[in-house]
Each structure stands twice: as structure tokens, then as C-alpha cells.
Amino acid sequence: MSSFTLKAPLPPKSTRAGKTRRQRHPLTLAATALVATVVLLPLCATILIALSGTGADWPHLARYVLPQSAATTLHLLVMVTMATAIVGVTCAWLVVAYDFPFRRTLSWALVLPLAVPPYLAAYAYAEFFHYVGPVQSALRALFGYTRPNDYWFPEIRTVTGAAIVISAVTFPYVYLTARVVFIMQGRNVADVARTLGAGPARVFWRVLLPVARPAIIAGVALVLMETVNDFGAVQHLGVETLTLAIYSTWLNRGSLEGAAQIAVIMLFLVFMLLTGEQMARRKQRFHSGRASQMKARPPRLRLAGWRAGAAFLAGLLPVLAGFGIPLAVFGRFALNRLEQFGEPAMTEALATSVLTALATAVLAIAAALLLLYTARLVRTRKMALLVRIATIGYAMPGTILALGLLVTLARFDNFIDALAREYAGFSTGLLFTGSATAVVLACAIRFLALAEGAIQAGIEKLPPNLDEAARSLGRTAPASAATVLLPLLNPAILTAGILVFVDTVKELSATIVLRPFGFNTLATYVYENASRGAVEDGAMAALLIIVVAIVPVILLSGPLMRDRDA
């Protein structure tokens, strides 16, 4: 009876735990909500501006801007989809299904184009295929041509040219996802088909490709989001996409409302891409095999003679197109301008890039740790949704993020200035608008998802009750996190920091809008030189960006190099 008396008044364990979590962590929950609010504010501001506009510019936009920009964007997306899907899937199938000379080298070298941002690839391609570039110069020397009218050469400054440039540096997204799925199928699926008399080609088309379709779609969706976000490549190649239309309408026509209205249409397109990616990921889980099956590799067919040479060439060409051409172009220009490395403008751009990227990495990691630890303390659906909302910034194109953030920060600065005038008698001016803080905040919002994903991968490897055991011994939640979880998460935090750092160094679309006067990163330094037709003067900065960007590529390709069966 006494034991019954002690147990009866106690509430259910789950209810008691839920109440305790809510009562003990109000500051953590409030901070997490603040992070989600900061991420959503630029998006909400953009939508409000679009809805509150007078509509005076809408007839012009609807008649002259939107039809052409939307058609060009869709045309570009279709071409990039086809190119990256064909190249990525073909390369993945070659290195997984066949054995030929230098296959292992190609398996990781095919990731190298990810180190080249699309805008750098556009600058390099425009120089490489220019009339005085190496290709046309060799063509004239070979056939004896003396004038441009003597021969025909395809123009790179077209939608097709932009699709080739963007596809050359983004196909590894599809290659990586397709390659993993082809390996995970194991021997069973392919062997069953072969026992029924199917050849390698039929096994690929009828069995493995349908099974890998969700992963391929997910990789293509990432490519398309990168394409929608691109600003520097399409501007340099003269391709009027929706992203460029936002920039032109805002700065050239002076219509913030018109730019916001185009941005809302573009957000709808991004939402459709995200929906397609999520549906693909949902379907993908039905095709994962058991652990024993995943460790098995599909049998490879050894190629010899001309077939081996053709397979090697098919894998080498994408590497040369996405990594070799930019490296060769900028490397040749940089060798003739080695003195630039010590020039004040170059040194200042390098220092600004490093400091901005470091500040962004610290801010993104701190926000990611806060989000994930709060989700670990409060395991509810609402908390999971809040974390999901806080990481949605990666899906927002940089131009749209910059537009919404600039308006938000301007109103916040005006609010602070009004309070200071009324109660303190002085003006604070613009504290955040047009400052380096705005650039750091924009990059942190956009790349928070990278930090969250890397740290989440590290947290999933830890025992779920590790920090709870520390708290049961009298440690507070912050103390247990600092002394128990953080030391174990150091590798994941380092990876997150590297990913955010590198993407911030490469970022252009948001930085070019938000940067203050005289604020130059390596990306904007290259952009300014390319804008005035002097790409060669930004070659050293371009090489520095590529060198920095190779770091996460090495992290991605490291497992491929260590895997003997890869």
C-alpha cells in the first residue's frame, strides 16, 4: 500500500519530462526562436514589399521583363538539368561498373569542379573561347584564317553557353548522389538481372537507373538551386535570368517594389524545386538495402583497348571542362601578374575575405549549436519544425536574401535612430545597413544549413543520453554541453566551420548588394575586374578562391581515395 501511495500522485514520465524541459530552458527556447525569426525576416520583408507596392511598374515588368526573364530562366534550367544528369550519371556509372586505367584517380578527380564557382567558370570560358583566346587562335593558325568572317565559331555568351558553363562546375552534385546509390545497390540487384540473361547496358537502363532515380533527382535539384542563385555568370555572359532581372529592376530602374515582385515569383520557383527534392528524398529511403548488402560492391567489367581509352576520356573531359579550363586560364594570367599578390588592393581583399568568412563561420556554428542542442533538450515536433525553419536560408537565392535583409536592417536602423533622437537627443545613423555586419549576417543566414548538417552528423554518432548522464550528476545543461558534448563534437564543428568559411569566400550575389563602399572580398575583386573587361587583373584573386575551395572538395573526395573498391 505504501508503495502504491508513493507512485500514484506522480504524473506520467513523458509529461513530467516535457514540463521540466519547458520550464528549465526558457532562455534557450527564446534564443532558438530568435534565430528562426532572423532567418525568416528577410523572406517576409520581401513578400510584404511586393504586396504593398503601388503596382506602377507591374505593367512594364509583365510586358517587357518577366516573359523574357522567366522564359530564359526556364530554358537555362532545362538545359542544365539535361547536361548535369547525363554527365553526372554517366561518370558515376563508369567508375562504379567498369574497371579501366586511372579509374580510381578519376573517381575523386570528378569532384574537383565543385571548387570552381560558376562566375569564375564564366570568366574563364569567355577568355578561353574568345577571338584572341587559345582555341580560336589555334583554329586560325591551323587553317590559315585571318579574319573573323573567314570561319564560324559558336558564341559562348548565350543561354546555351551559360548552361554549358554552369553544368561544367555543378554536375558533381549529381555524380556524388548517383555514385553512392549505384554502390549501395550491392551485387544482388545486378546479379539477379544477369542471371536472367540481361547484359550490362540493359541492367543499367532497366534495373539500376530506375532505382537510383530519386537520388538523381535530389542531386539535380541541388544543381538547379545553384543555377537559380547564380548572378555573376549570367551577368557576364549577358543572359537575362530572373536573378539578374531582380538586380536590374532594383538598381537600374530604382524600383524596389518591382524587384520584390520578381523575387516572389522566383521564390515560388525555388519552392517547387525544394518540393521536388523533398519528394525525391522521401522516395529514396525505400531503396536502401541492409548493411551487409551495402558493403558489397557491384562487379566491375574490365575494359581493354579502345573501350578503356574511351571510358577514360569520357571521365577526363568533365574534369578538364569544369576544373582544367578555369585553372589554366587563371593560372596563365596570374603568372604574368605575380606582383599583384603584394598590392594593397589584393591584400585588403584577401584580408576582408578571411575576416568575413571567419566571422560568418563563428556566427553560423554558434547558431547551429544552439539550434541542435535545444532540439536535443526539447524533443518535440514543434522544436524540430523551428530548427527546420531556421535552416531554410540556404534555399533563398542570395539576391532575394540581400533585398529582404537590406530593407529589414534599414527599418531596424531607423527605429533605433528614432529612439535615440527622442530619448537621448542624438542620431545614431545607419548602424547595420551598408556595413560589413550586413554581409556577415546574410552569409550566416544562407549557410547556417551547412553548419547544422555537419554538426548534426556528429551529434547522431553520440549516445543520446550522454549529456543527460552528466546532468544527473549535478551539472547544468550549459555545463554538460560545454564539458561533455563540445569536446566530442570538435571534428564535426571543424568540418562545419570549413564548409561555411569556403562558401562565404565564394559568395558573390548577396555580397555585391549589401557591401559598404570600399568593401572588397576576393569574389567582388574578381567581379569588379571582370565587369570592366579586365578578367586577367583578377586572376590572382580567382586562383586564391579556387585554392581555398579545394579544401572541402578534398574532404568530400577523401573517402573515395581511401576506399579500395571505390
Short mmCIF file of all heavy atoms in Angstrom, two decimals, residues 252-279:
data_model
loop_
_atom_site.label_atom_id
_atom_site.label_comp_id
_atom_site.label_asym_id
_atom_site.label_seq_id
_atom_site.Cartn_x
_atom_site.Cartn_y
_atom_site.Cartn_z
N ASN A 252 18.97 49.55 -61.40
CA ASN A 252 18.96 50.34 -62.63
C ASN A 252 17.67 51.15 -62.80
O ASN A 252 17.69 52.31 -63.21
CB ASN A 252 19.16 49.43 -63.85
CG ASN A 252 20.53 48.78 -63.84
OD1 ASN A 252 21.43 49.23 -63.15
ND2 ASN A 252 20.69 47.70 -64.59
N ARG A 253 16.52 50.53 -62.47
CA ARG A 253 15.25 51.24 -62.59
C ARG A 253 14.84 51.92 -61.29
O ARG A 253 13.90 52.71 -61.27
CB ARG A 253 14.14 50.26 -63.01
CG ARG A 253 14.24 49.81 -64.46
CD ARG A 253 13.06 48.91 -64.82
NE ARG A 253 11.78 49.56 -64.54
CZ ARG A 253 11.16 50.37 -65.37
NH1 ARG A 253 11.72 50.65 -66.55
NH2 ARG A 253 9.99 50.91 -65.06
N GLY A 254 15.51 51.59 -60.19
CA GLY A 254 15.18 52.20 -58.90
C GLY A 254 13.84 51.76 -58.34
O GLY A 254 13.21 52.49 -57.57
N SER A 255 13.39 50.57 -58.71
CA SER A 255 12.09 50.08 -58.27
C SER A 255 12.28 48.91 -57.30
O SER A 255 12.48 47.77 -57.72
CB SER A 255 11.24 49.64 -59.47
OG SER A 255 10.02 49.06 -59.05
N LEU A 256 12.22 49.22 -56.01
CA LEU A 256 12.34 48.17 -55.00
C LEU A 256 11.12 47.25 -55.01
O LEU A 256 11.25 46.04 -54.87
CB LEU A 256 12.51 48.81 -53.62
CG LEU A 256 12.69 47.85 -52.44
CD1 LEU A 256 13.95 47.03 -52.62
CD2 LEU A 256 12.76 48.63 -51.13
N GLU A 257 9.92 47.85 -55.21
CA GLU A 257 8.71 47.04 -55.23
C GLU A 257 8.71 46.08 -56.43
O GLU A 257 8.32 44.91 -56.30
CB GLU A 257 7.47 47.93 -55.30
CG GLU A 257 7.23 48.76 -54.05
CD GLU A 257 8.07 50.02 -54.03
OE1 GLU A 257 8.77 50.28 -55.05
OE2 GLU A 257 8.06 50.74 -53.00
N GLY A 258 9.15 46.58 -57.59
CA GLY A 258 9.21 45.71 -58.76
C GLY A 258 10.19 44.57 -58.58
O GLY A 258 9.91 43.43 -58.96
N ALA A 259 11.35 44.88 -57.97
CA ALA A 259 12.32 43.82 -57.70
C ALA A 259 11.75 42.78 -56.74
O ALA A 259 11.97 41.57 -56.90
CB ALA A 259 13.60 44.43 -57.13
N ALA A 260 11.01 43.25 -55.73
CA ALA A 260 10.41 42.33 -54.76
C ALA A 260 9.35 41.45 -55.43
O ALA A 260 9.21 40.26 -55.10
CB ALA A 260 9.80 43.11 -53.60
N GLN A 261 8.60 42.00 -56.37
CA GLN A 261 7.58 41.22 -57.06
C GLN A 261 8.21 40.13 -57.92
O GLN A 261 7.72 39.00 -57.98
CB GLN A 261 6.72 42.15 -57.91
CG GLN A 261 5.80 43.04 -57.07
CD GLN A 261 5.24 44.21 -57.86
OE1 GLN A 261 5.59 44.41 -59.02
NE2 GLN A 261 4.38 45.00 -57.22
N ILE A 262 9.32 40.44 -58.58
CA ILE A 262 10.03 39.41 -59.33
C ILE A 262 10.60 38.37 -58.37
O ILE A 262 10.60 37.16 -58.65
CB ILE A 262 11.15 40.03 -60.17
CG1 ILE A 262 10.58 41.05 -61.16
CG2 ILE A 262 11.93 38.95 -60.92
CD1 ILE A 262 11.64 41.79 -61.95
N ALA A 263 11.07 38.83 -57.20
CA ALA A 263 11.64 37.92 -56.22
C ALA A 263 10.60 36.92 -55.71
O ALA A 263 10.92 35.75 -55.48
CB ALA A 263 12.22 38.71 -55.05
N VAL A 264 9.36 37.37 -55.54
CA VAL A 264 8.30 36.47 -55.08
C VAL A 264 8.04 35.37 -56.12
O VAL A 264 7.85 34.19 -55.77
CB VAL A 264 7.01 37.25 -54.77
CG1 VAL A 264 5.85 36.31 -54.54
CG2 VAL A 264 7.23 38.14 -53.56
N ILE A 265 8.04 35.75 -57.38
CA ILE A 265 7.88 34.75 -58.44
C ILE A 265 9.04 33.76 -58.42
O ILE A 265 8.87 32.54 -58.56
CB ILE A 265 7.79 35.44 -59.81
CG1 ILE A 265 6.53 36.30 -59.87
CG2 ILE A 265 7.79 34.42 -60.95
CD1 ILE A 265 6.42 37.12 -61.14
N MET A 266 10.23 34.27 -58.19
CA MET A 266 11.40 33.42 -58.12
C MET A 266 11.35 32.50 -56.90
O MET A 266 11.79 31.34 -56.95
CB MET A 266 12.66 34.29 -58.09
CG MET A 266 13.94 33.53 -58.30
SD MET A 266 15.30 34.70 -58.50
CE MET A 266 16.68 33.57 -58.37
N LEU A 267 10.84 33.02 -55.78
CA LEU A 267 10.68 32.20 -54.58
C LEU A 267 9.73 31.04 -54.82
O LEU A 267 9.93 29.93 -54.30
CB LEU A 267 10.17 33.06 -53.42
CG LEU A 267 11.21 33.94 -52.73
CD1 LEU A 267 10.53 34.87 -51.73
CD2 LEU A 267 12.26 33.09 -52.02
N PHE A 268 8.70 31.28 -55.60
CA PHE A 268 7.77 30.20 -55.94
C PHE A 268 8.50 29.11 -56.73
O PHE A 268 8.28 27.91 -56.50
CB PHE A 268 6.60 30.75 -56.76
CG PHE A 268 5.64 29.70 -57.23
CD1 PHE A 268 4.74 29.12 -56.35
CD2 PHE A 268 5.66 29.28 -58.56
CE1 PHE A 268 3.86 28.13 -56.79
CE2 PHE A 268 4.78 28.30 -59.00
CZ PHE A 268 3.88 27.73 -58.11
N LEU A 269 9.38 29.52 -57.64
CA LEU A 269 10.16 28.55 -58.41
C LEU A 269 11.08 27.75 -57.49
O LEU A 269 11.20 26.52 -57.62
CB LEU A 269 10.98 29.29 -59.47
CG LEU A 269 11.92 28.44 -60.34
CD1 LEU A 269 11.13 27.39 -61.11
CD2 LEU A 269 12.72 29.32 -61.29
N VAL A 270 11.73 28.43 -56.53
CA VAL A 270 12.60 27.73 -55.58
C VAL A 270 11.79 26.78 -54.72
O VAL A 270 12.23 25.66 -54.42
CB VAL A 270 13.36 28.76 -54.70
CG1 VAL A 270 14.12 28.06 -53.59
CG2 VAL A 270 14.30 29.59 -55.55
N PHE A 271 10.59 27.19 -54.32
CA PHE A 271 9.73 26.32 -53.53
C PHE A 271 9.38 25.05 -54.29
O PHE A 271 9.36 23.95 -53.72
CB PHE A 271 8.45 27.07 -53.15
CG PHE A 271 7.42 26.22 -52.45
CD1 PHE A 271 7.57 25.87 -51.11
CD2 PHE A 271 6.32 25.74 -53.14
CE1 PHE A 271 6.63 25.08 -50.48
CE2 PHE A 271 5.38 24.95 -52.51
CZ PHE A 271 5.53 24.61 -51.16
N MET A 272 9.13 25.17 -55.58
CA MET A 272 8.84 24.00 -56.39
C MET A 272 10.05 23.07 -56.46
O MET A 272 9.92 21.84 -56.40
CB MET A 272 8.42 24.43 -57.80
CG MET A 272 7.14 25.24 -57.85
SD MET A 272 5.71 24.31 -57.22
CE MET A 272 5.58 23.03 -58.47
N LEU A 273 11.25 23.65 -56.58
CA LEU A 273 12.46 22.84 -56.60
C LEU A 273 12.66 22.11 -55.28
O LEU A 273 13.02 20.93 -55.25
CB LEU A 273 13.67 23.72 -56.91
CG LEU A 273 13.73 24.35 -58.30
CD1 LEU A 273 14.94 25.26 -58.42
CD2 LEU A 273 13.78 23.27 -59.37
N LEU A 274 12.43 22.81 -54.16
CA LEU A 274 12.56 22.19 -52.85
C LEU A 274 11.55 21.07 -52.66
O LEU A 274 11.86 20.02 -52.09
CB LEU A 274 12.38 23.25 -51.75
CG LEU A 274 13.54 24.21 -51.53
CD1 LEU A 274 13.15 25.27 -50.51
CD2 LEU A 274 14.77 23.45 -51.05
N THR A 275 10.33 21.30 -53.12
CA THR A 275 9.30 20.26 -53.01
C THR A 275 9.71 19.02 -53.79
O THR A 275 9.56 17.89 -53.30
CB THR A 275 7.96 20.80 -53.54
OG1 THR A 275 7.60 21.97 -52.81
CG2 THR A 275 6.87 19.75 -53.38
N GLY A 276 10.25 19.23 -54.99
CA GLY A 276 10.71 18.08 -55.77
C GLY A 276 11.84 17.34 -55.10
O GLY A 276 11.88 16.10 -55.10
N GLU A 277 12.77 18.09 -54.48
CA GLU A 277 13.88 17.44 -53.79
C GLU A 277 13.39 16.64 -52.58
O GLU A 277 13.83 15.51 -52.35
CB GLU A 277 14.90 18.48 -53.34
CG GLU A 277 16.11 17.87 -52.66
CD GLU A 277 16.98 18.90 -51.98
OE1 GLU A 277 16.52 20.04 -51.80
OE2 GLU A 277 18.11 18.55 -51.61
N GLN A 278 12.47 17.21 -51.80
CA GLN A 278 11.96 16.50 -50.64
C GLN A 278 11.19 15.24 -51.03
O GLN A 278 11.31 14.20 -50.38
CB GLN A 278 11.04 17.44 -49.83
CG GLN A 278 11.76 18.59 -49.16
CD GLN A 278 12.84 18.11 -48.20
OE1 GLN A 278 12.65 17.16 -47.45
NE2 GLN A 278 13.98 18.77 -48.23
N MET A 279 10.43 15.31 -52.10
CA MET A 279 9.72 14.12 -52.58
C MET A 279 10.71 13.06 -53.03
O MET A 279 10.51 11.86 -52.79
CB MET A 279 8.78 14.50 -53.73
CG MET A 279 7.60 15.36 -53.31
SD MET A 279 6.57 15.84 -54.72
CE MET A 279 6.01 14.22 -55.28
#
